[in-house]
Amino acid sequence: MIIKVLGTGCTNCKKLEANTKKAVEEMGIDATVEKVSDMKEIMSYGVMKTPALVVDEKVKIMGRVPSSEDIKKYL
Amino acid sequence: MDFISLIFSWLNDQLLKMDWLFNLIKWLTEDVLGLSIQDKVGGSLHFFIYDTIKIFILLSVLIFAISYIQSYFPPERTKKLLGGIKGVRGNILGALLGTITPFCSCSSIPIFIGFTSAGLPVGITFSFLISSPLVDLASLLLLMSFFGPKIAIAYVIVGLVLAVIGGTIIDKLKMDEYIEGYVKEIEDVDAEIEEMTRKERITYAKEQVVEIFHRVWLYVLIGVGIGALIHNWIPQSFIETAIGSGNPFSVLIATVVGIPMYADIFGTLPIAEALFGKGVGIGTVLAFMMAVTALSLPSMIMLSKVVKRKLLVLFVVIVAIGIVIIGYSFNAFSFLLI
């Protein structure tokens, strides 16, 4: 599973990345978490409000930071 | 009818204006600390404590309620709603959606790129960008709390009119070619909009309160501090000469001073309130507030990354002229509002 965290480096993006990593760890699934900070690439997902979470090229979360518990159901 | 209006005015006084808090802090200042609120020290202390608590209460309650509503209108949905609507109707819808779409200057670039790549006319995007920081549900309720319902509603209406007219002018002047080239090359993608559950919306709204609190608390304290200074320490005569109703340039000065400043409505209101209390015209006060919230150096720097200089300058000039006109009109017709 490839997970991408889209964001230009704001504090919320870092928080989402940390929460996602925690969720992955707790679930013990095989997944890579990448950070995407290039504006063109972010826009290529149609996201206009960062941070966003992309799982296997599908946008799951936009413009908010859910807890690691909440993230689990998207993985 | 009298009974209903009595209830309404009681609700307005206690919940929005928070008379109970005013009296509580008055008691604290006068009876506990032994300072009269007619004096400079007691007066500014009262102003500072009362306004700070009032703004933070309003901020928390309003941001929570509004974020909950806004969770139904992410910018991705706004983009879809605006697609295919041409002409002034598009500008009107853009301005209206600007009031409910969550916005901060940090997200103006992705929104601008998203709207443009979706083929929205530049004028409609600008109607949205003008109304978004200027008018929202929070500003309506806050203005009601500080200045009463008439002025609050008038502010919202003229703010929307400014956004519609400003966007329409930019449209008519065919400004499309002044968008930076790379913006148009970005492919338009519609993200699938996630539907949040009720619990998620509540969590989102709570997080927004915390986040906005973190972002604005310092501006609020600075704003209230300046307000307290104006309220009790800066001589009436000085303010009257600078921006009082006798000075024909008052609105112009207030606008020019407000434009580069960066603050949102929570930090601006205490200053506006204190100026109004010193007898500055309501139009001058509103022009100052609009200039601070609608235009700022950070937002201009952001926009300069997506539009060429000519369009940026045109945008600033149109909004500034609009604010000045609104200011002078409010001063001229203030007898209808107060």
Side-chain angles (χ1 to χ4, degrees):
Chain A
M1 185 185 280
I2 297 166
I3 301 166
K4 288 179 181 168
V5 176
L6 316 184
T8 43
C10 48
T11 43
N12 275 336
C13 315
K14 285 173 195 147
K15 232 195 281 171
L16 182 64
E17 194 189 0
N19 289 359
T20 309
K21 280 183 173 162
K22 196 173 163 224
V24 169
E25 217 168 90
E26 284 174 7
M27 288 172 79
I29 48 172
D30 185 31
T32 54
V33 180
E34 290 172 29
K35 254 193 103 173
V36 177
S37 54
D38 177 60
M39 186 55 89
K40 271 189 193 173
E41 219 184 319
I42 293 176
M43 294 305 301
S44 74
Y45 289 97
V47 168
M48 286 193 279
K49 195 153 184 274
T50 55
L53 189 75
V54 176
V55 180
D56 286 336
E57 299 305 298
K58 274 216 165 106
V59 181
K60 297 289 183 187
I61 290 161
M62 292 184 286
R64 62 194 182 96
V65 184
S67 67
S68 58
E69 272 316 303
D70 285 339
I71 292 174
K72 282 181 186 170
K73 69 175 184 197
Y74 297 106
L75 304 180
Chain B
M1 273 313 281
D2 277 355
F3 184 66
I4 294 167
S5 70
L6 208 67
I7 292 180
F8 182 78
S9 75
W10 183 85
L11 283 174
N12 189 52
D13 288 347
Q14 298 300 327
L15 291 181
L16 282 175
K17 270 170 74 189
M18 297 191 203
D19 281 351
W20 58 272
L21 185 68
F22 183 94
N23 292 327
L24 180 74
I25 307 297
K26 184 176 180 225
W27 170 80
L28 193 77
T29 318
E30 296 200 324
D31 295 355
V32 179
L33 298 172
L35 298 160
S36 165
I37 65 167
Q38 305 303 328
D39 289 343
K40 274 186 181 177
V41 177
S44 46
L45 194 70
H46 179 268
F47 183 94
F48 190 85
I49 300 173
Y50 166 63
D51 261 45
T52 305
I53 297 176
K54 178 165 123 173
I55 289 174
F56 282 140
I57 294 175
L58 285 170
L59 186 147
S60 309
V61 176
L62 289 179
I63 298 287
F64 182 84
I66 286 156
S67 299
Y68 190 85
I69 299 170
Q70 285 179 339
S71 72
Y72 289 92
F73 296 92
E76 293 79 6
R77 175 164 288 156
T78 302
K79 187 182 86 172
K80 278 190 186 168
L81 288 173
L82 282 173
I85 296 171
K86 298 271 179 291
V88 180
R89 275 172 56 209
N91 293 94
I92 294 171
L93 191 62
L96 286 174
L97 286 169
T99 63
I100 44 171
T101 308
F103 181 84
C104 75
S105 56
C106 47
S107 57
S108 60
I109 291 181
I111 286 181
F112 189 90
I113 296 176
F115 281 16
T116 307
S117 64
L120 292 185
V122 66
I124 294 183
T125 306
F126 269 98
S127 280
F128 177 88
L129 286 178
I130 295 171
S131 97
S132 198
L134 191 64
V135 187
D136 61 14
L137 296 168
S139 55
L140 175 69
L141 289 165
L142 276 168
L143 283 163
M144 271 192 191
S145 161
F146 280 79
F147 295 112
K150 273 189 198 165
I151 288 173
I153 291 166
Y155 173 90
V156 169
I157 291 171
V158 295
L160 287 172
V161 170
L162 175 63
V164 171
I165 293 176
T168 308
I169 293 174
I170 289 174
D171 218 35
K172 290 275 178 281
L173 292 175
K174 304 264 180 285
M175 283 290 131
D176 277 306
E177 56 182 300
Y178 296 101
I179 297 172
E180 290 290 354
Y182 78 94
V183 174
K184 292 176 186 164
E185 282 161 24
I186 290 173
E187 207 189 330
D188 174 38
V189 183
D190 275 331
E192 224 172 280
I193 296 157
E194 39 146 1
E195 277 307 324
M196 289 192 247
T197 61
R198 195 158 152 252
K199 205 181 125 223
E200 280 171 335
R201 289 184 205 282
I202 290 172
T203 320
Y204 168 79
K206 271 190 215 154
E207 284 164 2
Q208 286 300 107
V209 174
V210 175
E211 195 192 314
I212 291 174
F213 204 97
H214 271 286
R215 201 167 69 215
V216 306
W217 69 269
L218 189 63
Y219 293 102
V220 171
L221 287 188
I222 294 172
V224 179
I226 296 175
L229 275 182
I230 296 170
H231 194 253
N232 294 89
W233 296 87
I234 297 175
Q236 180 102 23
S237 58
F238 174 79
I239 291 172
E240 263 171 22
T241 335
I243 49 170
S245 44
N247 184 343
F249 298 107
S250 58
V251 174
L252 214 53
I253 294 168
T255 309
V256 171
V257 169
I259 285 176
M261 284 169 69
Y262 175 66
D264 64 4
I265 192 151
F266 293 104
T268 323
L269 262 172
I271 302 177
E273 180 196 16
L275 288 174
F276 187 61
K278 285 277 172 178
V280 175
I282 186 68
T284 314
V285 171
L286 289 183
F288 174 71
M289 282 184 52
M290 288 184 147
V292 172
T293 49
L295 298 169
S296 70
L297 275 182
S299 72
M300 286 181 218
I301 292 166
M302 289 274 190
L303 271 179
S304 70
K305 289 179 188 163
V306 283
V307 301
K308 291 180 183 146
R309 177 157 303 177
K310 192 174 170 186
L311 177 49
L312 183 68
V313 171
L314 182 72
F315 160 70
V316 174
V317 168
I318 288 174
V319 176
I321 291 176
I323 291 172
V324 170
I325 293 172
I326 289 170
Y328 281 115
S329 325
F330 265 78
N331 277 347
F333 296 104
S334 61
F335 58 90
L336 294 173
L337 297 164
I338 299 161

